[in-house]
Amino acid sequence: MTWRIRGTYFESCNCEAICPCRRVDGVRGGRSTHGVCMGVLSWVIQEGAVDDVDLAGLPVAMAISYSDDEPGSPWTWILYLDSRATSEQRAALEAIFTGALGGAAEAHFPWTWKESRFAGVRPATIDVDHTRRREWLKIRDRVSVRIRDRYDGGETVSCVIPGHGTPGEELITDELVVEDEALRFAFRGTCGYGATFDYAGA
């Protein structure tokens, strides 16, 4: 299968800004602030497809957790796919984000190259806005994330998931909440990050 998707990305986790996992002014990141990372990742696909399955306009979200002190720091992760997508679109997105189609997943998705705990796919209505410095995400009864503003600093930051080749922007989160069978947490005032992404595979 040939595939490519590109669009906008934002995330938030329980680390203090700037998230220590990021590359800051070109310096490689390291251990998370508290030793355990809990967060939410989100993508809005502006254009893209897997073969002839068009994916433009679809959001994808993920809730994650891992411990730096657990051998291999395996990720526990839940994949949320928009229930308004067709079954073919959801299947294509699941194949991309679980790493089944290879390609860019091998460079950008840590949960695919580590021994991880996949807690499953949740079809859900994903409401999301990636307006710069005002990003928010809502999955009813499960996930709520809202960005307060940008982080007040002049550092250049990048993140492996959207890619270090395109610097993004460090953000401050007003709300980060996950209520799911596999993961439950709530934070305020922690770090966020916004960028663009461009993934492909063949």
Side-chain angles (χ1 to χ4, degrees), residues 29-82:
R31 184 181 177 84
S32 57
T33 302
H34 307 288
V36 177
C37 183
M38 293 173 276
V40 171
L41 321 177
S42 72
W43 300 259
V44 173
I45 299 168
Q46 294 175 333
E47 57 182 306
V50 174
D51 285 344
D52 59 353
V53 179
D54 184 18
L55 302 175
L58 292 175
V60 176
M62 190 178 292
I64 67 99
S65 177
Y66 66 86
S67 170
D68 289 309
D69 294 325
E70 188 173 352
S73 63
W75 289 41
T76 296
W77 57 289
I78 306 165
L79 181 63
Y80 298 98
L81 299 178
D82 199 283

Side-chain angles (χ1 to χ4, degrees), residues 79-103:
L79 181 63
Y80 298 98
L81 299 178
D82 199 283
S83 57
R84 292 165 290 197
T86 66
S87 58
E88 291 82 6
Q89 288 172 322
R90 289 198 300 273
L93 290 170
E94 182 176 348
I96 290 173
F97 285 91
T98 59
L101 295 185

